[in-house]
Amino acid sequence: MHPTYDVVALGELLIDLTPSGHSQQKHPLYEQNTGGAPANVLACLSALGRKSALICKVGDDFFGTALHQSLVRAGIDSSGLVWSKKEHTTLAFVHLGQQGERSFTFYRQPGADQLLNEDEIDESLIHKARLFHVGTLSLTGQPSRAATFKAIEAAQKVGLPISCDINYREPLWPSSGEAKEMMERLLESVSILKVSEEELFLLTGLTDADAGSRILFNRFPLQLILITRGAQGSDARTRQTHATHPAFNVKSVDTTGAGDAFMGAILDQLLATGQNLDSLEQTTLQQWLAFANAAGALVTERYGAFDEMPAREAIERCLKTNNVIR
């Protein structure tokens, strides 16, 4: 059977409330944007012409309706979306620093995304994919934790490669120890892993890319580890080789979604080549990183993420400039 989707993802679909100036009375104003890391990854893939579907849960409220409409506009299959009549859609207030660096305050105690149940997983969607993608916010509590592992099992049944973006948000976890425990359980099934330097430290106690990656390769059946380092660029590592690429020099106003754009672009490149991860060469990894770094940089030039993912033509133009941070 020919796959219907390039990527099916499971995870949070929520509202990002992003700063957008001040009122006449000098009160801060916030703009409603579609957010959630797995959703942003699929938005990037959609902007690159890939077919995808999202398994998620939102509140049966105004915000949930807006999020559903966002999926439809982006061309992401929303048949895996479940409506909660018990809890509202999760909200995340975005705080931006001087260089566009962001932090979050979540309204989620719990939010609808955390109430996704095992019996609400449409396994037929997963079986129609070429690759399954998952984050870790769905592991922060039950029942979404059990639903996540059920979806992982469904992907394993049909031999799908599984990608994971750790996307650690400390306030959403009871403790860093529990976060690490759940992430390690997830990594037992993952082929492609993306982490930031901070997340690499959480998992290994190290920030060094080489030493930290060796620990992860020794402990888990990973085939590709991606490490994002903001303005310092990114690394890609397999068990045989590794590559690095600098970040592109752009005027960033909001770094929300930069890592998600990076992840989506990497998955696009993997899907385009269809290469076996174990046979990737250094030059290929460098090309993938360049493409993904460009995607991540471009999305930071505008506020929001989901609706601002760059098209392939924009990424290719960025690559031709070779305007990297040296």
Side-chain angles (χ1 to χ4, degrees):
M1 181 179 71
H2 191 273
T4 304
Y5 310 103
D6 293 301
V7 179
V8 170
L10 178 145
E12 70 278 5
L13 176 65
L14 48 78
I15 295 291
D16 281 340
L17 291 165
T18 308
S20 61
H22 292 80
S23 68
Q24 292 180 344
Q25 293 76 28
K26 308 301 180 183
H27 299 306
L29 299 175
Y30 289 88
E31 179 181 85
Q32 175 182 321
N33 288 302
T34 299
N40 287 339
V41 169
L42 296 190
C44 178
L45 285 162
S46 187
L48 296 173
R50 299 290 175 186
K51 294 181 179 180
S52 64
L54 180 64
I55 299 170
C56 60
K57 195 166 191 175
V58 298
D60 189 6
D61 51 31
F62 169 82
F63 289 124
T65 299
L67 291 172
H68 176 250
Q69 292 170 346
S70 290
L71 293 184
V72 173
R73 283 198 307 272
I76 299 169
D77 189 315
S78 62
S79 61
L81 182 148
V82 182
W83 301 90
S84 173
K85 295 187 180 297
K86 182 179 179 182
E87 296 292 348
H88 292 299
T89 300
T90 298
L91 307 180
F93 280 84
V94 182
H95 310 278
L96 299 176
Q98 292 185 346
Q99 304 302 317
E101 65 276 13
R102 84 285 182 272
S103 58
F104 300 92
T105 297
F106 289 90
Y107 282 71
R108 179 187 188 247
Q109 294 179 333
D113 68 292
Q114 204 173 348
L115 298 184
L116 183 68
N117 288 294
E118 288 183 78
D119 59 7
E120 292 171 330
I121 301 295
D122 184 353
E123 294 190 21
S124 68
L125 283 176
I126 299 170
H127 295 165
K128 296 174 184 175
R130 295 174 61 189
L131 182 144
F132 181 68
H133 177 72
V134 68
T136 56
L137 261 66
S138 59
L139 300 180
T140 53
Q142 297 289 12
S144 60
R145 179 181 296 175
T148 302
F149 286 114
K150 180 179 179 180
I152 291 285
E153 290 176 7
Q156 290 178 309
K157 285 178 186 175
V158 291
L160 293 187
I162 297 170
S163 65
C164 172
D165 181 357
I166 290 296
N167 203 33
Y168 179 53
R169 300 286 179 262
E170 183 180 1
L172 298 183
W173 289 91
S175 68
S176 60
E178 182 172 329
K180 182 180 178 184
E181 178 185 350
M182 287 298 104
M183 291 171 186
E184 289 176 339
R185 181 180 165 191
L186 179 63
L187 291 184
E188 293 172 1
S189 307
V190 169
S191 304
I192 304 157
L193 172 67
K194 184 185 85 66
V195 292
S196 66
E197 284 184 311
E198 294 81 6
E199 291 157 353
L200 181 66
F201 182 79
L202 173 68
L203 291 171
T204 68
L206 301 170
T207 56
D208 179 76
D210 184 54
S213 295
R214 280 203 303 271
I215 289 175
L216 293 174
F217 278 131
N218 287 337
R219 294 189 60 191
F220 305 105
L222 298 165
Q223 294 174 280
L224 175 63
I225 298 174
L226 305 154
I227 303 170
T228 54
R229 297 182 289 121
Q232 283 70 53
S234 58
D235 294 58
R237 294 173 181 269
T238 69
R239 294 174 186 271
Q240 287 75 37
T241 189
H242 72 275
T244 62
H245 197 280
F248 285 86
N249 192 11
V250 297
K251 187 175 181 180
S252 296
V253 296
D254 180 4
T255 60
T256 307
D260 305 327
F262 174 95
M263 189 76 207
I266 287 287
L267 296 182
D268 168 78
Q269 295 295 285
L270 171 62
L271 292 163
T273 61
Q275 280 190 261
N276 187 311
L277 291 170
D278 291 324
S279 63
L280 288 172
E281 297 181 354
Q282 185 181 55
T283 53
T284 300
L285 289 177
Q286 287 175 331
Q287 291 168 359
W288 288 12
L289 290 177
F291 188 83
N293 283 358
L298 290 172
V299 80
T300 71
E301 293 185 316
R302 299 179 182 180
Y303 292 100
F306 184 94
D307 294 313
E308 303 297 340
M309 292 296 174
R312 195 176 301 277
E313 295 76 13
I315 295 174
E316 290 172 349
R317 285 196 300 271
C318 183
L319 291 172
K320 287 178 182 177
T321 67
N322 197 34
N323 184 20
V324 296
I325 299 175
R326 302 184 186 280

